[in-house]
């Protein structure tokens, strides 16, 4: 009974907040430009960088085996700390939620 009353009050509060913030949301949507333009610009910059990187690497004359080893090394070096920190966070969350 009490749980149903609390749920009803929470739904009422959420609907009131939604009604009150709807005009603000509409103003923000109209005032800010479309995000797809920014994403397209970012993608074109990344495309340009990848084209230039390929040209620079081919200009240096480094073999494909050496490039593969360098890329593998940096992928391992950059992803290992992220992997370990995410595993530690998952273990911490598990211990916290384990009760």
């Amino acid at each position: 009974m009490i749980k149903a009353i609390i749920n009803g009050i929470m739904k009422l509060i959420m609907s009131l907040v939604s009604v009150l913030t709807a005009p603000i949301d509409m103003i923000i949507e109209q005032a800010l430009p479309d995000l797809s333009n920014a994403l397209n610009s970012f993608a074109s910059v990344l495309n340009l960088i990848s084209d230039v990187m390929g040209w620079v690497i081919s200009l240096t004359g480094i073999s494909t085996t050496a490039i593969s080893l360098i890329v593998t090394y940096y992928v391992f070096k950059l992803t290992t700390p992220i992997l370990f920190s995410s595993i530690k966070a998952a273990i911490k969350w598990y211990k916290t939620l384990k009760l």
Side-chain angles (χ1 to χ4, degrees), residues 38-56:
L39 293 176
N40 288 337
S41 299
F42 184 70
S44 65
V45 167
L46 288 179
N47 193 12
L48 178 66
I49 290 172
S50 67
D51 290 343
V52 170
M53 286 289 286
W55 182 77
V56 169

Side-chain angles (χ1 to χ4, degrees), residues 1-87:
M1 175 77 172
I2 294 175
K3 185 176 181 180
I5 293 172
I6 292 174
N7 284 339
I9 291 172
M10 292 301 289
K11 287 182 182 180
L12 178 67
I13 291 172
M14 288 189 306
S15 65
L16 286 175
V17 168
S18 175
V19 167
L20 292 175
T21 58
I24 298 170
D25 188 35
M26 289 173 45
I27 291 171
I28 291 173
E29 284 181 7
Q30 291 175 356
L32 294 177
D34 190 18
L35 188 60
S36 65
N37 293 335
L39 293 176
N40 288 337
S41 299
F42 184 70
S44 65
V45 167
L46 288 179
N47 193 12
L48 178 66
I49 290 172
S50 67
D51 290 343
V52 170
M53 286 289 286
W55 182 77
V56 169
I57 289 173
S58 67
L59 185 65
T60 60
I62 299 174
S63 69
T64 56
T65 306
I67 293 172
S68 297
L69 288 174
I70 292 169
V71 168
T72 304
Y73 170 74
Y74 278 110
V75 165
F76 179 75
K77 186 170 178 69
L78 295 174
T79 57
T80 303
I82 295 171
L83 178 68
F84 286 138
S85 65
S86 62
I87 289 172

